[in-house]
Amino acid sequence: QASLDIWVTPPDYTGLPPQFLPASAIDKAIAVPTGSTVLAQVQSTGSPPHLRIDDKSAEFSRVDEHNFKGSATLTAGHTLAVEEDGHTLGAWPIAIVPDLPPQIDFARPPQHTQRAVLRLEYHASDDYGVESAKAVIVRPGDSSGPLTLDLPLPGQHLRQAHDSSFHDLTAHPWAGLPVDIHLEAVDALGQAGESDTLRITLPERVFHHPVARAIIEQRKQLTLDPTQREIVAETLSDLSLRPQLFNDDTVVFLALRAAQARLILDKTVAAVPTVQQLLWETAVRIEDGRTPLVQRDLRDAMKALQDALARNAPDAEIQQLVHDLQQAIDRYLQALAQNTQQQNQAQDQRPMDPSRMLSQQDLQRMLDRARELARTGSRDAARDLLSQLQEMLELSLIHISEPTRQAE
């Protein structure tokens, strides 16, 4: 008498356990995720059995004198059976469950923060788990290719994912211009799902210093019409000849001359993006000093910690990243305090609601609480708290009234 053991193992990424198939006949089809492996073992003194899927059959391999083994990958079919010498040892109706592409949509329309940062909030889902998500931005009529933004996931292999992220694109040449944006999510099989496409205007920073504003206008002109490089070069040259307008800053003077020379002497397409980056850095130097650099470092430190929490990194790594974030916040607040007076004097500075302001002491308490949550294993709660903290930082709701905490 032959004995049969047979089971189906779903792909690892599904997270589903193996299914041992019953020995007795059943009427209801067994749900089998596509890509599952069926493994059967038969103990018998007869000839090698066959594993049959619908009308396709494969012979078992011999393990020893009385044991045979057969396997197959299930991607199609309605009946699974094991047969030996014309007899059916077992048969089961199966229903192959397809792995559908993920879905992703905007949870709300893209928003601009007070600092002209793009805020994206999304909801994604997949039958077995979302592996990655991104935003893809294209400018109609622009041949330079898409701009891709990685979107953070609040965990690994999530069937439902909801999160938001901040992206400072003010330095991008498309800032202030209409673009098309859609979201993409990818599952473990590499299948991609896309959201609807929205037409938005990328957030654009407002410069208050007249020279910085003039530089940015020329920078945008190079995006709108790269053939105007000679006119732009002439304008930059005129600005460089009036150093009293930018406090006789030698670095600004040299940058303007370098940009002008590059536009005239280098006729390649690659010259324009290089000049645009130089013009951006020059305008920011005139307007802000060092504040944008420390703000970028703060975003990087925040993202590194959130990513580490999502992937369940070791405690030592988490604590080091919390320390790095603390130092980045300290540097940011110091730079922000130095620049507050200039911001308050800006003509279109918007008054803030005092009830929504976050003091430096409040900020420190939030960071300390996140540190403690991460230390005690409540990493999802720590990540949620960090998201709230980043929201406050990005929305410029920090009240600079107390001495900045010194970096550890």
Side-chain angles (χ1 to χ4, degrees), residues 143-165:
S143 60
S144 59
L147 169 62
T148 301
L149 308 175
D150 290 330
L151 301 178
L153 292 173
Q156 294 180 304
H157 319 304
L158 297 176
R159 297 192 177 193
Q160 299 286 335
H162 180 270
D163 210 340
S164 60
S165 58

Side-chain angles (χ1 to χ4, degrees), residues 115 290-299 325-339 343 360 363 392-398 400 404:
R115 291 190 181 277
R290 62 187 292 266
T291 302
L293 296 177
V294 295
Q295 188 172 21
R296 181 189 62 194
D297 293 342
L298 173 58
R299 288 194 185 99
L325 177 58
Q326 176 73 73
Q327 292 187 318
I329 289 177
D330 289 339
R331 290 191 294 269
Y332 171 70
L333 292 179
Q334 290 167 3
L336 191 63
Q338 294 170 3
N339 205 37
Q343 290 179 342
Q360 289 173 250
L363 187 153
M392 300 299 289
L393 288 167
E394 295 291 353
L395 293 175
S396 306
L397 300 182
I398 306 300
I400 304 296
T404 302

Side-chain angles (χ1 to χ4, degrees), residues 1-136:
Q1 180 69 30
S3 65
L4 167 65
D5 293 311
I6 183 170
W7 62 95
V8 174
T9 302
D12 289 341
Y13 70 83
T14 66
L16 299 174
Q19 300 182 74
F20 286 85
L21 303 188
S24 57
I26 59 174
D27 295 328
K28 184 178 180 181
I30 299 172
V32 177
T34 185
S36 296
T37 300
V38 57
L39 180 62
Q41 294 180 339
V42 173
Q43 186 177 37
S44 171
T45 58
S47 58
H50 285 76
L51 181 65
R52 181 171 60 81
I53 303 171
D54 289 351
D55 57 352
K56 296 181 180 180
S57 179
E59 186 175 280
F60 279 42
S61 61
R62 184 182 293 274
V63 178
D64 55 35
E65 185 178 358
H66 301 298
N67 291 282
F68 304 89
K69 180 175 67 174
S71 65
T73 300
L74 300 175
T75 58
H78 301 283
T79 302
L80 174 66
V82 176
E83 301 170 340
E84 182 186 45
D85 295 332
H87 300 287
T88 299
L89 302 181
W92 303 266
I94 59 174
I96 302 298
V97 180
D99 186 341
L100 300 176
Q103 296 181 329
I104 188 168
D105 292 294
F106 291 96
R108 63 178 64 185
Q111 298 174 309
H112 302 177
T113 71
Q114 187 171 334
R115 291 190 181 277
V117 173
L118 180 65
R119 182 181 188 274
L120 299 176
E121 185 174 352
Y122 71 90
H123 179 81
S125 62
D126 185 66
D127 38 14
Y128 299 116
V130 179
E131 297 301 317
S132 66
K134 64 182 179 180
V136 179

